[in-house]
Amino acid sequence: METLLQQIINGLVVGSMYALVALGYTMVYGILGLINFAHGDILMIGALVALQAINFAQHTWPHLGALPTLAFGLLVAIPVSMLMGYVIERAAYRRLRNAPRLAPLITAIGVSFLLQTMAMIIWGRNYYSFPQLISTTPLQPVPGVYIAPVQIVILIVSALLMIGLTVLVNRTRIGRAMRATAENHRIASLMGVDANRIISLTFVLGSGLAAIAGVMIASNYGIAHSTMGTLPGLKAFTAAVLGGIGNLGGAMLGGILLGLVEAIGAGYIEQFSFGFFNSSYQDIFAFAILGVVLIFRPTGLLGERVADRA
Amino acid sequence: MIKLLEARGIHKRFGGLQALTDVSLSINKGEIYGLIGPNGAGKTTFFNVLSGAYTPESGEFVFSGSELPYGEPHKIVQRGIARTFQNIRLFRELTALENVMVGHHTRSTAGLFGILLQRKHVREEERLVTERAFELLRYVGIERFANTVSKNLSYGDQRRLEIARALATEPQLLALDEPAAGMNATETSHLRTLIETIRHDGVTVLLIEHDVKLVMGLCDRVAVLDFGKKIVEDVPAIVQKNAAVIEAYLGGAHA
Amino acid sequence: MEELARIVPYFGTHNPKAARSIVIAIMLLAPIAALGVGPAWVRILDFALLYVMLAVGLNLVVGFAGLLDLGYIAFYAVGAYTWAFLASPHFGVHLPFWVVLPLGAGFAALAGVILGFPVLRLRGDYLAIVTLGFGEIVRIFMNNLNHPINITNGPQGINMLDTLHIFGWDISKRVAITDDFSINPLLFYYYVFLGFVVLSVILVKRMQVSRIGRAWAAIRDDDLAAKAVGINLRNCKLLAFAMGATFGGVAGGLFGAFQGFVSPESFSLMESIIVLAMVVFGGMGNIGGVIVGALILSWLPEVLRSYAVPMQTAVFGHVLLDPEILRMLVYALALIFMMLLRPAGLMPAHSRYSKPELVLGKGGKGAEVQA
């Protein structure tokens, strides 16, 4: 069994990826009060599009080098995912702004299904191996602790993105418009904010982050397939709720925390349950946390406004 | 005069706002009792505490001699207190008849197995409940809409339906939250007749209202709340002349 | 029945009695017609009936009480695994169906209450996600409870489940009438399942037009007002979960007996969503609607399946959309288009929770119902 420090590192890596996806959920929920069920599948689209682009690049420009190839993959995947997010909001969710309670959620479920189906049509249901362009050979900075370069990159990139988003939301005009729209989009539009544009922007940003997370997940585990988005999506939603839905800092905190709980929990669960449970029960942590938080402290850790849609 | 409901020292705060401070009043059986005061005085909060939607920080209600439980609205209804809502909360997708039949829920006993097996006493009860609900619709004057989905009724009819539904719970005390809101003079006078009939038929009525003329003409006694405190409780004639009341409505720090 | 009868073209509106007879005739003769096309189609019909049961059960939770349960398939799993535990060589226990089915239903109801308790105070979206988590947790347990003690046999599932024996008659065996003519057991299963479906519909209808049904509708429409009229929210919601689960559990037991094996794969999130799609597509809250929705959405993918492959091979030279994908596509589009274009479903709920004829008389005054 790995050392605690190792588990913490693993947890931080997975947690940062959850955090990136959680940001998308929390931004959309904050503004529309909608759980974008399809968000996890945007992650999947990002990964598979990147894979396609990388394969193309490796074929057409075989001497390009690992990092530029990866960058190319991202350069293609991110705009495609952003476009998807934009289209979904315009085509499906916008029409349901004033619909009865369950309609948007049910539609979101349908959209999620549709995305998976489309992915299966284009890429089939196979599991593809995702080229690991950043090395996964673990380094050993400290005895007993292994961290691979790809994991280091994930940590750094996630941190940069989270900082960047925080700056955008808190220090810029657009960020102010986003916060205002999240508070009350009708009043914000009375104040001159084009609420529809901001909402679209929210979806676009969230989708971009999800695409990057998707590429990270694919790079870290070396696999990509058409249903890879469901579970991370649910877990990221749990993270957003844990941190306080609607709250950006909460999404980041929740993501990291969830990653840590999963990693450490998986490590010790066998001990604590006298061998009855093992690490394949790992996924239950997320669901259990979700249930516990929603029942006992629905506003989450950094508890903020909870949208009043029911 | 038998005391039906007594409120003793009710305190309710929401975060930093003290909504009700030491509110005590008593309602006698058979009375029509009015609760008035400027906007924000705490009248609806009082209702909500009474009906169990909120739990007070301190104080209690004594109803027919025994204390009322806190925070459990369905138990309050069981004990015999029914309420209506300021902004009408009907079951919009149900018909008028069904809305009133729902009101009978606490007083009927049909259980799962009886219903699944359609036993005789369940079928009998269903018939009785349906008939009684229809009678209540007739009582408030909207029986011709029995089979109309309630969201399609006019505003005035919806108000009457809500009262019929509350009456279906067979209450001893009927608490009406601004029943005359949005009504014109004719409708208000019909409402007044209805309330008097209800009282005549043995139900005590507690009324929140802004329509001062209605309250003063209809109520036996009136309590006035301002900033969460009761400032006077007496017959309308005296309350009308009370200086503090006049100041609360006309002068002072709020409009 | 009246709702189903109404959709029969022409007769539905002009001659309800005839429409009703038509519906009954279709119900009784459908499998024989299907058999004419091929036994595989009878099998599809049998599964369709199971889906109808599931849809009717979920409709109770979602359509009547307004509780969006995304983990409904867990109750199906409980029923199926109960059959696997108590009527198969797995533990060597072979109890008869009239013991195992009620037990499966009972366990499912218990699971419904266990799920219901913690989610009592949750609203719409959150309720949905937590129930989804519940469904997944059940599936993960089914998948992993194979060590240290083997309870569920993990991902391989349990097979060689007992078939349905009614009074000693094993209905999975062909019955020879003459030397070269025998009755396909798939037909027997059809009529047994039909019996269960009819029973379920009768029971659900009774609950709908009753004190319980009205309480559920009240909670769905405005739970604050429901409380204010004396309804005990906790008990009513738990009852909704438990009753909905019961139907799922019975269907699960029948599924186990019919299919002969159970594995966690059959009880995934996708299955919960498929049942939800049937309820939504058909018309939430309308029993007839969800029956039609379930029938259409379980048949359509199969029909496409048998045409899609040869057609695509003919047109494109190879198969672009394999049947599994087509199936998912059908459900995804059903959900999306229904929600965007006709959220009330194919047959919007004109559901009535009362018998106004008791006070109005047939065709009496004010007898119009406006939805």
Side-chain angles (χ1 to χ4, degrees):
Chain A
M1 200 198 54
E2 305 161 318
T3 63
L4 184 60
L5 188 53
Q6 180 68 57
Q7 285 162 355
I8 291 180
I9 293 182
N10 293 343
L12 284 175
V13 172
V14 173
S16 337
M17 298 192 280
Y18 287 154
L20 288 182
V21 183
L23 283 169
Y25 277 114
T26 220
M27 286 197 292
V28 167
Y29 197 91
I31 290 194
L32 287 182
L34 162 75
I35 301 177
N36 183 5
F37 219 79
H39 190 60
D41 300 292
I42 302 275
L43 178 171
M44 172 268 292
I45 299 250
L48 286 175
V49 170
L51 178 62
Q52 197 77 31
I54 289 174
N55 283 341
F56 173 77
Q58 288 179 326
H59 191 75
T60 341
W61 309 301
H63 301 299
L64 197 52
L67 273 182
T69 312
L70 182 61
F72 178 73
L74 281 171
L75 270 171
V76 175
I78 294 176
V80 170
S81 305
M82 286 181 162
L83 182 65
M84 286 253 62
Y86 177 79
V87 166
I88 290 173
E89 194 273 321
R90 282 306 303 271
Y93 299 152
R94 184 166 294 195
R95 304 177 53 161
L96 296 171
R97 290 265 176 90
N98 294 313
R101 322 174 321 172
L102 302 176
L105 183 60
I106 295 178
T107 311
I109 295 172
V111 172
S112 164
F113 239 48
L114 187 63
L115 286 178
Q116 287 182 30
T117 311
M118 277 169 40
M120 285 186 196
I121 294 176
I122 301 178
W123 289 290
R125 272 178 286 159
N126 307 330
Y127 281 47
Y128 293 100
S129 74
F130 195 91
Q132 298 178 298
L133 294 166
I134 304 183
S135 167
T136 46
T137 328
L139 306 169
Q140 199 179 20
V142 167
V145 171
Y146 296 90
I147 185 165
V150 66
Q151 294 176 312
I152 298 177
V153 170
I154 288 177
L155 285 174
I156 296 178
V157 171
S158 308
L160 286 175
L161 285 172
M162 290 194 255
I163 293 174
L165 186 68
T166 311
V167 165
L168 174 75
V169 168
N170 288 324
R171 298 276 171 96
T172 65
R173 246 182 96 225
I174 284 238
R176 204 164 49 226
M178 287 173 72
R179 279 178 287 140
T181 316
E183 284 276 347
N184 188 322
H185 61 85
R186 282 185 207 105
I187 303 233
S189 55
L190 288 176
M191 298 280 139
V193 171
D194 184 344
N196 283 334
R197 241 179 36 131
I198 296 292
I199 292 175
S200 294
L201 178 66
T202 306
F203 271 85
V204 163
L205 270 179
S207 302
L209 290 173
I212 298 175
V215 172
M216 283 178 178
I217 293 177
S219 300
N220 196 33
Y221 296 110
I223 318 176
H225 61 276
S226 46
T227 52
M228 68 183 279
T230 325
L231 204 50
L234 283 172
K235 292 183 180 179
F237 176 71
T238 305
V241 167
L242 174 62
I245 194 108
N247 182 320
L248 289 185
M252 299 187 240
L253 177 65
I256 308 277
L257 267 180
L258 183 62
L260 287 171
V261 166
E262 269 194 359
I264 299 177
Y268 289 105
I269 189 175
E270 203 151 351
Q271 277 189 326
F272 283 133
S273 62
F274 306 108
F276 193 72
F277 293 126
N278 57 34
S279 51
S280 28
Y281 286 89
Q282 186 179 352
D283 294 338
I284 292 195
F285 286 132
F287 297 122
I289 291 180
L290 182 65
V292 165
V293 171
L294 282 179
I295 293 162
F296 294 109
R297 202 190 150 92
T299 46
L301 290 173
L302 298 185
E304 255 214 34
R305 85 192 84 78
V306 175
D308 263 325
R309 293 188 72 115
Chain B
M1 287 267 108
I2 322 169
K3 269 194 219 171
L4 183 60
L5 175 72
E6 208 185 325
R8 296 183 189 157
I10 304 285
H11 283 80
K12 178 67 193 157
R13 69 185 301 131
F14 295 109
L17 176 68
Q18 189 73 32
L20 294 173
T21 311
D22 199 24
V23 173
S24 303
L25 47 85
S26 64
I27 303 177
N28 300 321
K29 202 161 166 37
E31 271 192 316
I32 299 181
Y33 189 100
L35 186 62
I36 65 176
N39 273 321
K43 311 187 292 293
T44 301
T45 308
F46 183 79
F47 255 43
N48 287 331
V49 175
L50 172 63
S51 69
Y54 300 150
T55 313
E57 271 71 37
S58 65
E60 67 263 355
F61 289 98
V62 177
F63 185 69
S64 279
S66 37
E67 225 179 285
L68 286 179
Y70 295 137
E72 294 198 72
H74 66 274
K75 289 208 178 133
I76 304 287
V77 175
Q78 264 172 10
R79 297 286 226 92
I81 302 179
R83 71 165 293 176
T84 61
F85 289 90
Q86 195 169 344
N87 40 11
I88 306 187
R89 300 187 81 121
L90 288 174
F91 305 119
R92 298 174 52 80
E93 302 296 329
L94 294 180
T95 62
L97 186 66
E98 288 161 359
N99 264 274
V100 180
M101 287 172 78
V102 174
H104 265 110
H105 186 91
T106 7
R107 306 293 172 205
S108 29
T109 58
L112 178 66
F113 288 106
I115 290 171
L116 290 178
L117 298 170
Q118 283 290 289
R119 297 174 65 188
K120 190 144 198 285
H121 73 89
V122 167
R123 280 180 287 144
E124 261 315 297
E125 189 183 79
E126 181 80 7
R127 162 179 293 278
L128 278 171
V129 169
T130 314
E131 283 169 1
R132 172 118 165 85
F134 191 70
E135 277 314 305
L136 279 172
L137 287 178
R138 205 196 290 262
Y139 190 80
V140 300
I142 54 174
E143 75 275 12
R144 67 192 176 288
F145 296 122
N147 219 19
T148 313
V149 176
S150 66
K151 67 183 176 188
N152 294 330
L153 293 176
S154 72
Y155 182 82
D157 289 338
Q158 286 186 353
R159 276 241 178 259
R160 287 194 266 175
L161 177 57
E162 211 190 9
I163 293 177
R165 186 183 66 184
L167 287 174
T169 67
E170 296 175 21
Q172 292 178 284
L173 174 65
L174 178 65
L176 303 172
D177 195 343
E178 300 202 29
M183 288 191 176
N184 62 32
T186 324
E187 291 170 326
T188 309
S189 120
H190 285 154
L191 178 68
R192 183 174 160 162
T193 316
L194 177 60
I195 296 180
E196 281 171 344
T197 314
I198 292 174
R199 183 260 291 274
H200 178 79
D201 291 333
V203 180
T204 309
V205 178
L206 165 63
L207 188 59
I208 294 180
E209 245 318 314
H210 268 309
D211 184 337
V212 177
K213 226 177 71 167
L214 174 67
V215 168
M216 295 307 177
L218 182 60
C219 298
D220 304 317
R221 288 193 309 138
V222 167
V224 183
L225 290 185
D226 188 25
F227 283 127
K229 299 201 181 81
K230 182 185 80 174
I231 53 183
V232 72
E233 179 186 11
D234 213 321
V235 296
I238 304 203
V239 168
Q240 261 174 317
K241 303 205 192 88
N242 182 301
V245 172
I246 298 174
E247 160 131 5
Y249 269 101
L250 295 179
H254 52 88
Chain C
M1 179 53 77
E2 314 82 54
E3 292 151 347
L4 277 179
R6 238 183 273 147
I7 62 171
V8 176
Y10 181 72
F11 287 109
T13 30
H14 290 87
N15 192 340
K17 277 220 179 92
R20 224 170 303 169
S21 315
I22 293 181
V23 171
I24 294 182
I26 294 179
M27 277 181 1
L28 291 176
L29 298 176
I32 302 179
L35 192 58
V37 184
W41 290 98
V42 187
R43 203 179 149 78
I44 292 171
L45 258 184
D46 295 341
F47 275 114
L49 283 182
L50 286 181
Y51 273 120
V52 168
M53 262 191 88
L54 286 175
V56 167
L58 182 60
N59 180 49
L60 202 154
V61 183
V62 176
F64 289 175
L67 306 163
L68 182 54
D69 184 351
L70 289 181
Y72 186 70
I73 212 74
F75 306 128
Y76 195 48
V78 167
Y81 269 89
T82 303
W83 189 274
F85 291 161
L86 298 178
S88 78
H90 182 68
F91 289 140
V93 179
H94 298 273
L95 294 176
F97 81 94
W98 45 268
V99 172
V100 186
L101 280 183
L103 271 181
F107 288 135
L110 187 62
V113 171
I114 293 176
L115 167 66
F117 244 108
V119 304
L120 286 175
R121 265 174 296 148
L122 297 180
R123 298 165 320 196
D125 290 12
Y126 286 166
L127 176 74
I129 297 288
V130 174
T131 53
L132 190 159
F134 180 81
E136 283 295 277
I137 288 178
V138 168
R139 189 184 55 80
I140 292 176
F141 270 109
M142 299 289 177
N143 217 6
N144 286 300
L145 273 177
N146 53 0
H147 62 265
I149 329 164
N150 186 2
I151 305 181
T152 63
N153 214 24
Q156 299 147 309
I158 303 174
N159 54 15
M160 308 229 299
L161 265 44
D162 294 350
T163 51
L164 207 48
H165 292 253
I166 303 183
F167 304 118
W169 169 35
D170 179 352
I171 72 170
S172 69
K173 298 273 180 282
R174 299 190 83 99
V175 170
I177 306 283
T178 64
D179 270 343
D180 40 31
F181 178 67
S182 60
I183 305 183
N184 191 319
L186 291 173
L187 279 178
F188 300 138
Y189 271 108
Y190 175 87
Y191 290 112
V192 170
F193 286 1
L194 185 65
F196 275 100
V197 166
V198 168
L199 181 62
S200 306
V201 171
I202 292 177
L203 292 179
V204 168
K205 194 78 190 172
R206 286 181 176 183
M207 281 191 281
Q208 180 181 326
V209 187
S210 78
R211 179 174 174 258
I212 293 179
R214 286 187 289 273
W216 283 336
I219 294 177
R220 178 196 67 208
D221 275 357
D222 190 335
D223 66 344
L224 195 70
K227 273 193 286 191
V229 209
I231 294 178
N232 185 330
L233 250 52
R234 186 196 66 199
N235 293 355
C236 283
K237 285 186 181 179
L238 287 179
L239 187 62
F241 276 114
M243 284 314 303
T246 305
F247 290 108
V250 173
L254 293 174
F255 169 71
F258 182 55
Q259 183 161 266
F261 72 89
V262 293
S263 75
E265 270 188 351
S266 324
F267 309 112
S268 61
L269 172 59
M270 182 164 118
E271 289 297 314
S272 280
I273 294 181
I274 286 175
V275 181
L276 177 67
M278 294 175 180
V279 171
V280 165
F281 183 73
M284 267 192 286
N286 180 331
I287 300 179
V290 307
I291 293 178
V292 170
L295 288 173
I296 294 181
L297 286 186
S298 41
W299 260 72
L300 193 54
E302 300 301 325
V303 169
L304 289 177
R305 188 196 290 256
S306 61
Y307 287 112
V309 174
M311 189 199 76
Q312 285 177 69
T313 326
V315 174
F316 298 114
H318 68 102
V319 176
L320 268 179
L321 302 173
D322 77 42
E324 258 315 294
I325 294 181
L326 270 178
R327 197 167 168 253
M328 278 184 71
L329 196 59
V330 166
Y331 293 120
L333 292 177
L335 274 174
I336 298 178
F337 281 117
M338 264 305 148
M339 277 295 114
L340 289 181
L341 299 174
R342 201 181 152 100
L346 272 186
M347 291 167 61
H350 288 280
S351 299
R352 283 289 66 89
Y353 296 85
S354 61
K355 293 184 208 140
E357 51 297 355
L358 286 177
V359 287
L360 295 176
K362 297 256 161 76
K365 51 180 180 170
E368 17 69 60
V369 176
Q370 296 149 33

